[in-house]
PDB file of all heavy atoms in Angstrom:
ATOM      1  N   ALA A   1      -0.139 -66.011  54.518  1.00 90.00           N
ATOM      2  CA  ALA A   1       0.762 -66.569  53.516  1.00 90.00           C
ATOM      3  C   ALA A   1       0.568 -68.059  53.305  1.00 90.00           C
ATOM      4  O   ALA A   1       1.089 -68.619  52.332  1.00 90.00           O
ATOM      5  CB  ALA A   1       2.210 -66.281  53.905  1.00 90.00           C
ATOM      6  N   GLY A   2      -0.180 -68.722  54.190  1.00 94.00           N
ATOM      7  CA  GLY A   2      -0.465 -70.130  53.987  1.00 94.00           C
ATOM      8  C   GLY A   2      -1.468 -70.379  52.888  1.00 94.00           C
ATOM      9  O   GLY A   2      -1.661 -71.524  52.461  1.00 94.00           O
ATOM     10  N   LEU A   3      -2.120 -69.326  52.424  1.00 95.00           N
ATOM     11  CA  LEU A   3      -3.122 -69.453  51.368  1.00 95.00           C
ATOM     12  C   LEU A   3      -2.791 -68.469  50.253  1.00 95.00           C
ATOM     13  O   LEU A   3      -3.307 -67.364  50.193  1.00 95.00           O
ATOM     14  CB  LEU A   3      -4.525 -69.200  51.935  1.00 95.00           C
ATOM     15  CG  LEU A   3      -5.698 -69.328  50.952  1.00 95.00           C
ATOM     16  CD1 LEU A   3      -5.695 -70.679  50.252  1.00 95.00           C
ATOM     17  CD2 LEU A   3      -7.026 -69.110  51.674  1.00 95.00           C
ATOM     18  N   GLU A   4      -1.882 -68.878  49.393  1.00 95.00           N
ATOM     19  CA  GLU A   4      -1.498 -68.079  48.233  1.00 95.00           C
ATOM     20  C   GLU A   4      -1.395 -69.001  47.023  1.00 95.00           C
ATOM     21  O   GLU A   4      -0.959 -70.152  47.145  1.00 95.00           O
ATOM     22  CB  GLU A   4      -0.163 -67.368  48.460  1.00 95.00           C
ATOM     23  CG  GLU A   4      -0.218 -66.326  49.565  1.00 95.00           C
ATOM     24  CD  GLU A   4       1.020 -65.436  49.596  1.00 95.00           C
ATOM     25  OE1 GLU A   4       1.835 -65.527  48.657  1.00 95.00           O
ATOM     26  OE2 GLU A   4       1.160 -64.653  50.540  1.00 95.00           O
ATOM     27  N   LEU A   5      -1.779 -68.494  45.881  1.00 97.00           N
ATOM     28  CA  LEU A   5      -1.745 -69.284  44.650  1.00 97.00           C
ATOM     29  C   LEU A   5      -0.364 -69.149  44.033  1.00 97.00           C
ATOM     30  O   LEU A   5      -0.136 -68.357  43.123  1.00 97.00           O
ATOM     31  CB  LEU A   5      -2.852 -68.822  43.701  1.00 97.00           C
ATOM     32  CG  LEU A   5      -4.267 -68.900  44.282  1.00 97.00           C
ATOM     33  CD1 LEU A   5      -5.287 -68.375  43.288  1.00 97.00           C
ATOM     34  CD2 LEU A   5      -4.616 -70.332  44.707  1.00 97.00           C
ATOM     35  N   ARG A   6       0.563 -69.961  44.559  1.00 96.00           N
ATOM     36  CA  ARG A   6       1.961 -69.949  44.136  1.00 96.00           C
ATOM     37  C   ARG A   6       2.458 -71.374  43.976  1.00 96.00           C
ATOM     38  O   ARG A   6       1.893 -72.312  44.543  1.00 96.00           O
ATOM     39  CB  ARG A   6       2.833 -69.240  45.180  1.00 96.00           C
ATOM     40  CG  ARG A   6       2.566 -67.791  45.345  1.00 96.00           C
ATOM     41  CD  ARG A   6       3.273 -67.166  46.522  1.00 96.00           C
ATOM     42  NE  ARG A   6       4.522 -67.812  46.907  1.00 96.00           N
ATOM     43  CZ  ARG A   6       5.552 -67.176  47.443  1.00 96.00           C
ATOM     44  NH1 ARG A   6       5.492 -65.871  47.626  1.00 96.00           N
ATOM     45  NH2 ARG A   6       6.641 -67.831  47.800  1.00 96.00           N
ATOM     46  N   GLU A   7       3.557 -71.507  43.251  1.00 96.00           N
ATOM     47  CA  GLU A   7       4.120 -72.832  42.998  1.00 96.00           C
ATOM     48  C   GLU A   7       4.615 -73.520  44.266  1.00 96.00           C
ATOM     49  O   GLU A   7       4.679 -74.754  44.319  1.00 96.00           O
ATOM     50  CB  GLU A   7       5.280 -72.715  42.002  1.00 96.00           C
ATOM     51  CG  GLU A   7       4.888 -72.222  40.622  1.00 96.00           C
ATOM     52  CD  GLU A   7       4.849 -70.705  40.502  1.00 96.00           C
ATOM     53  OE1 GLU A   7       4.815 -69.998  41.544  1.00 96.00           O
ATOM     54  OE2 GLU A   7       4.842 -70.218  39.359  1.00 96.00           O
ATOM     55  N   ASP A   8       4.978 -72.737  45.283  1.00 96.00           N
ATOM     56  CA  ASP A   8       5.559 -73.312  46.496  1.00 96.00           C
ATOM     57  C   ASP A   8       4.583 -73.368  47.663  1.00 96.00           C
ATOM     58  O   ASP A   8       4.982 -73.616  48.798  1.00 96.00           O
ATOM     59  CB  ASP A   8       6.816 -72.534  46.902  1.00 96.00           C
ATOM     60  CG  ASP A   8       6.553 -71.048  47.131  1.00 96.00           C
ATOM     61  OD1 ASP A   8       5.432 -70.583  46.808  1.00 96.00           O
ATOM     62  OD2 ASP A   8       7.462 -70.356  47.628  1.00 96.00           O
ATOM     63  N   VAL A   9       3.297 -73.152  47.406  1.00 96.00           N
ATOM     64  CA  VAL A   9       2.273 -73.252  48.450  1.00 96.00           C
ATOM     65  C   VAL A   9       1.342 -74.404  48.081  1.00 96.00           C
ATOM     66  O   VAL A   9       0.669 -74.364  47.052  1.00 96.00           O
ATOM     67  CB  VAL A   9       1.477 -71.934  48.596  1.00 96.00           C
ATOM     68  CG1 VAL A   9       0.347 -72.104  49.614  1.00 96.00           C
ATOM     69  CG2 VAL A   9       2.399 -70.794  49.023  1.00 96.00           C
ATOM     70  N   HIS A  10       1.299 -75.428  48.924  1.00 98.00           N
ATOM     71  CA  HIS A  10       0.589 -76.661  48.590  1.00 98.00           C
ATOM     72  C   HIS A  10      -0.710 -76.822  49.389  1.00 98.00           C
ATOM     73  O   HIS A  10      -1.249 -77.928  49.485  1.00 98.00           O
ATOM     74  CB  HIS A  10       1.514 -77.853  48.814  1.00 98.00           C
ATOM     75  CG  HIS A  10       2.821 -77.736  48.074  1.00 98.00           C
ATOM     76  ND1 HIS A  10       2.890 -77.694  46.692  1.00 98.00           N
ATOM     77  CD2 HIS A  10       4.096 -77.580  48.527  1.00 98.00           C
ATOM     78  CE1 HIS A  10       4.153 -77.556  46.321  1.00 98.00           C
ATOM     79  NE2 HIS A  10       4.904 -77.471  47.408  1.00 98.00           N
ATOM     80  N   THR A  11      -1.210 -75.746  49.922  1.00 98.00           N
ATOM     81  CA  THR A  11      -2.445 -75.759  50.702  1.00 98.00           C
ATOM     82  C   THR A  11      -3.623 -76.212  49.840  1.00 98.00           C
ATOM     83  O   THR A  11      -3.745 -75.808  48.677  1.00 98.00           O
ATOM     84  CB  THR A  11      -2.717 -74.353  51.266  1.00 98.00           C
ATOM     85  OG1 THR A  11      -1.595 -73.950  52.065  1.00 98.00           O
ATOM     86  CG2 THR A  11      -3.989 -74.315  52.097  1.00 98.00           C
ATOM     87  N   ILE A  12      -4.479 -77.031  50.425  1.00 98.00           N
ATOM     88  CA  ILE A  12      -5.721 -77.457  49.771  1.00 98.00           C
ATOM     89  C   ILE A  12      -6.809 -76.438  50.106  1.00 98.00           C
ATOM     90  O   ILE A  12      -7.022 -76.096  51.270  1.00 98.00           O
ATOM     91  CB  ILE A  12      -6.151 -78.857  50.243  1.00 98.00           C
ATOM     92  CG1 ILE A  12      -5.040 -79.880  49.968  1.00 98.00           C
ATOM     93  CG2 ILE A  12      -7.461 -79.264  49.581  1.00 98.00           C
ATOM     94  CD1 ILE A  12      -4.747 -80.104  48.501  1.00 98.00           C
ATOM     95  N   ILE A  13      -7.505 -75.963  49.090  1.00 98.00           N
ATOM     96  CA  ILE A  13      -8.562 -74.975  49.283  1.00 98.00           C
ATOM     97  C   ILE A  13      -9.758 -75.637  49.978  1.00 98.00           C
ATOM     98  O   ILE A  13     -10.207 -76.717  49.583  1.00 98.00           O
ATOM     99  CB  ILE A  13      -8.964 -74.352  47.937  1.00 98.00           C
ATOM    100  CG1 ILE A  13      -7.780 -73.547  47.377  1.00 98.00           C
ATOM    101  CG2 ILE A  13     -10.193 -73.467  48.087  1.00 98.00           C
ATOM    102  CD1 ILE A  13      -8.003 -73.014  45.979  1.00 98.00           C
ATOM    103  N   GLU A  14     -10.266 -74.951  51.018  1.00 98.00           N
ATOM    104  CA  GLU A  14     -11.349 -75.491  51.836  1.00 98.00           C
ATOM    105  C   GLU A  14     -12.532 -74.529  51.882  1.00 98.00           C
ATOM    106  O   GLU A  14     -12.374 -73.320  51.661  1.00 98.00           O
ATOM    107  CB  GLU A  14     -10.864 -75.707  53.276  1.00 98.00           C
ATOM    108  CG  GLU A  14      -9.710 -76.648  53.448  1.00 98.00           C
ATOM    109  CD  GLU A  14      -9.287 -76.728  54.903  1.00 98.00           C
ATOM    110  OE1 GLU A  14     -10.174 -76.694  55.789  1.00 98.00           O
ATOM    111  OE2 GLU A  14      -8.064 -76.809  55.162  1.00 98.00           O
ATOM    112  N   PRO A  15     -13.722 -75.051  52.203  1.00 98.00           N
ATOM    113  CA  PRO A  15     -14.864 -74.167  52.426  1.00 98.00           C
ATOM    114  C   PRO A  15     -14.566 -73.152  53.530  1.00 98.00           C
ATOM    115  O   PRO A  15     -13.926 -73.475  54.535  1.00 98.00           O
ATOM    116  CB  PRO A  15     -15.976 -75.134  52.846  1.00 98.00           C
ATOM    117  CG  PRO A  15     -15.591 -76.439  52.232  1.00 98.00           C
ATOM    118  CD  PRO A  15     -14.094 -76.475  52.284  1.00 98.00           C
ATOM    119  N   GLY A  16     -15.018 -71.926  53.325  1.00 98.00           N
ATOM    120  CA  GLY A  16     -14.769 -70.857  54.284  1.00 98.00           C
ATOM    121  C   GLY A  16     -13.569 -69.997  53.933  1.00 98.00           C
ATOM    122  O   GLY A  16     -13.374 -68.941  54.539  1.00 98.00           O
ATOM    123  N   MET A  17     -12.776 -70.437  52.981  1.00 98.00           N
ATOM    124  CA  MET A  17     -11.657 -69.613  52.544  1.00 98.00           C
ATOM    125  C   MET A  17     -12.140 -68.535  51.580  1.00 98.00           C
ATOM    126  O   MET A  17     -13.133 -68.707  50.876  1.00 98.00           O
ATOM    127  CB  MET A  17     -10.581 -70.467  51.874  1.00 98.00           C
ATOM    128  CG  MET A  17      -9.842 -71.374  52.841  1.00 98.00           C
ATOM    129  SD  MET A  17      -8.574 -72.384  52.011  1.00 98.00           S
ATOM    130  CE  MET A  17      -7.752 -73.103  53.432  1.00 98.00           C
ATOM    131  N   VAL A  18     -11.439 -67.408  51.595  1.00 98.00           N
ATOM    132  CA  VAL A  18     -11.734 -66.298  50.687  1.00 98.00           C
ATOM    133  C   VAL A  18     -10.440 -65.976  49.945  1.00 98.00           C
ATOM    134  O   VAL A  18      -9.426 -65.671  50.573  1.00 98.00           O
ATOM    135  CB  VAL A  18     -12.248 -65.062  51.442  1.00 98.00           C
ATOM    136  CG1 VAL A  18     -12.531 -63.920  50.475  1.00 98.00           C
ATOM    137  CG2 VAL A  18     -13.508 -65.405  52.240  1.00 98.00           C
ATOM    138  N   ILE A  19     -10.471 -66.074  48.620  1.00 97.00           N
ATOM    139  CA  ILE A  19      -9.248 -66.030  47.821  1.00 97.00           C
ATOM    140  C   ILE A  19      -9.431 -65.102  46.622  1.00 97.00           C
ATOM    141  O   ILE A  19     -10.499 -65.071  46.012  1.00 97.00           O
ATOM    142  CB  ILE A  19      -8.881 -67.429  47.299  1.00 97.00           C
ATOM    143  CG1 ILE A  19      -8.980 -68.478  48.405  1.00 97.00           C
ATOM    144  CG2 ILE A  19      -7.486 -67.435  46.684  1.00 97.00           C
ATOM    145  CD1 ILE A  19      -8.826 -69.885  47.922  1.00 97.00           C
ATOM    146  N   SER A  20      -8.371 -64.390  46.295  1.00 97.00           N
ATOM    147  CA  SER A  20      -8.391 -63.573  45.087  1.00 97.00           C
ATOM    148  C   SER A  20      -7.808 -64.348  43.910  1.00 97.00           C
ATOM    149  O   SER A  20      -7.004 -65.258  44.080  1.00 97.00           O
ATOM    150  CB  SER A  20      -7.582 -62.286  45.287  1.00 97.00           C
ATOM    151  OG  SER A  20      -6.206 -62.575  45.514  1.00 97.00           O
ATOM    152  N   MET A  21      -8.233 -63.961  42.716  1.00 98.00           N
ATOM    153  CA  MET A  21      -7.555 -64.358  41.484  1.00 98.00           C
ATOM    154  C   MET A  21      -7.075 -63.063  40.846  1.00 98.00           C
ATOM    155  O   MET A  21      -7.886 -62.177  40.543  1.00 98.00           O
ATOM    156  CB  MET A  21      -8.515 -65.109  40.555  1.00 98.00           C
ATOM    157  CG  MET A  21      -7.968 -65.370  39.143  1.00 98.00           C
ATOM    158  SD  MET A  21      -6.316 -66.109  39.060  1.00 98.00           S
ATOM    159  CE  MET A  21      -6.514 -67.592  40.026  1.00 98.00           C
ATOM    160  N   GLU A  22      -5.733 -62.938  40.662  1.00 97.00           N
ATOM    161  CA  GLU A  22      -5.194 -61.653  40.221  1.00 97.00           C
ATOM    162  C   GLU A  22      -3.902 -61.805  39.418  1.00 97.00           C
ATOM    163  O   GLU A  22      -2.815 -61.454  39.870  1.00 97.00           O
ATOM    164  CB  GLU A  22      -4.956 -60.744  41.421  1.00 97.00           C
ATOM    165  CG  GLU A  22      -4.222 -61.369  42.604  1.00 97.00           C
ATOM    166  CD  GLU A  22      -3.973 -60.361  43.716  1.00 97.00           C
ATOM    167  OE1 GLU A  22      -3.377 -59.305  43.451  1.00 97.00           O
ATOM    168  OE2 GLU A  22      -4.392 -60.642  44.860  1.00 97.00           O
ATOM    169  N   PRO A  23      -4.018 -62.320  38.198  1.00 98.00           N
ATOM    170  CA  PRO A  23      -2.819 -62.448  37.375  1.00 98.00           C
ATOM    171  C   PRO A  23      -2.297 -61.079  36.933  1.00 98.00           C
ATOM    172  O   PRO A  23      -3.061 -60.131  36.747  1.00 98.00           O
ATOM    173  CB  PRO A  23      -3.309 -63.255  36.174  1.00 98.00           C
ATOM    174  CG  PRO A  23      -4.763 -62.908  36.069  1.00 98.00           C
ATOM    175  CD  PRO A  23      -5.228 -62.744  37.489  1.00 98.00           C
ATOM    176  N   MET A  24      -0.982 -60.982  36.749  1.00 97.00           N
ATOM    177  CA  MET A  24      -0.383 -59.737  36.272  1.00 97.00           C
ATOM    178  C   MET A  24       0.765 -60.030  35.322  1.00 97.00           C
ATOM    179  O   MET A  24       1.601 -60.893  35.587  1.00 97.00           O
ATOM    180  CB  MET A  24       0.137 -58.887  37.431  1.00 97.00           C
ATOM    181  CG  MET A  24       0.837 -57.613  36.954  1.00 97.00           C
ATOM    182  SD  MET A  24       1.404 -56.526  38.279  1.00 97.00           S
ATOM    183  CE  MET A  24       2.250 -55.258  37.294  1.00 97.00           C
TER     184      MET A  24
END
C-alpha cells in the first residue's frame, strides 16, 4: 500500500519498482 497511485500516497517512484496503470 506504500506504492499506489492515489491522491493520499506521496511515495516517490524509484528504480526497481513495478507498478500498474489501471484507470476505471
Side-chain angles (χ1 to χ4, degrees):
L3 181 55
E4 295 192 9
L5 302 178
R6 294 171 28 149
E7 296 86 343
D8 58 351
V9 176
H10 306 297
T11 302
I12 302 295
I13 294 173
E14 300 177 37
M17 290 180 171
V18 179
I19 314 172
S20 64
M21 171 50 56
E22 48 177 305
M24 177 177 176

